[in-house]
Amino acid sequence: MTQLRIVPGDFDDARVVALLAGHFAAMRSTGPEESCHVMPLDAMREAGLDFFAAWDGDTLAGVGAIKRLDAEHGEVKSMHTAAAYRRRGVGQATLDHLIAHAAALGLSRLSLETGTGDVFVPARAMYARNGFADCEPFGDYKPDPNSAFMSREL
């Protein structure tokens, strides 16, 4: 892997669209639709997210976004690493970028929702290593046995 470059993402880039479509399909396959909070592309475009893409040269390695919930609280959304780049530091680099971006925005808390199934164990472990701890549902989320909620101070 060359030097990873994390820059604002382009929802009109076919590589971004393809990775997000794969992310959406993978997340929808993990449980009931009402428990799956992955954002479809059109919703991402309209949500005012701060969206970033991680590039290895011309190859898209991963994506992630920050959704502002209020002046002090943000949410990590759509963290996804391309299959060929998993366990190579892309997720960590993307999360580091999102945390730094959230702090630069003046946010004091960053939260996330992820799944509880086995497929999500590596993600939950990475978030825990980065200071995220289990929390109650936030924003518009409701308690759900298929959702894990985590948060950390910035």
Side-chain angles (χ1 to χ4, degrees), residues 73 99 108-112 127 130-133 135 150-154:
H73 191 187
I99 291 169
S108 59
R109 174 167 291 284
L110 198 53
S111 301
L112 60 92
Y127 295 133
N130 284 274
F132 287 85
C135 69
M150 303 178 83
S151 192
R152 66 164 277 177
E153 298 288 330
L154 297 177

Side-chain angles (χ1 to χ4, degrees), residues 32 35 114-117 142-149:
S35 294
T114 191
T116 57
K142 306 284 185 256
D144 184 327
N146 296 300
S147 288
F149 303 97

Side-chain angles (χ1 to χ4, degrees), residues 5-114:
R5 185 174 45 89
I6 301 174
V7 297
D10 179 359
F11 290 127
D12 294 322
D13 185 309
R15 297 164 294 182
V16 169
V17 171
L19 187 67
L20 288 172
H23 172 62
F24 185 85
M27 294 303 97
R28 281 290 166 103
S29 74
T30 63
E33 186 173 335
E34 64 273 10
S35 294
C36 184
H37 304 287
V38 64
M39 293 179 83
L41 180 60
D42 289 342
M44 291 181 72
R45 289 179 196 264
E46 296 172 10
L49 302 176
D50 292 349
F51 176 70
F52 297 93
W55 295 94
D56 176 21
D58 290 333
T59 303
L60 182 59
V63 294
I66 297 290
K67 177 182 177 185
R68 288 176 222 158
L69 301 175
D70 61 36
E72 297 179 357
H73 191 187
E75 179 182 5
V76 174
K77 292 295 291 181
S78 300
M79 278 278 299
H80 188 77
T81 300
Y85 284 91
R86 293 194 183 134
R87 306 217 191 290
R88 295 176 61 188
V90 171
Q92 183 64 59
T94 303
L95 183 60
D96 289 346
H97 186 85
L98 295 177
I99 291 169
H101 181 74
L105 291 173
L107 301 178
S108 59
R109 174 167 291 284
L110 198 53
S111 301
L112 60 92
E113 180 276 338
T114 191

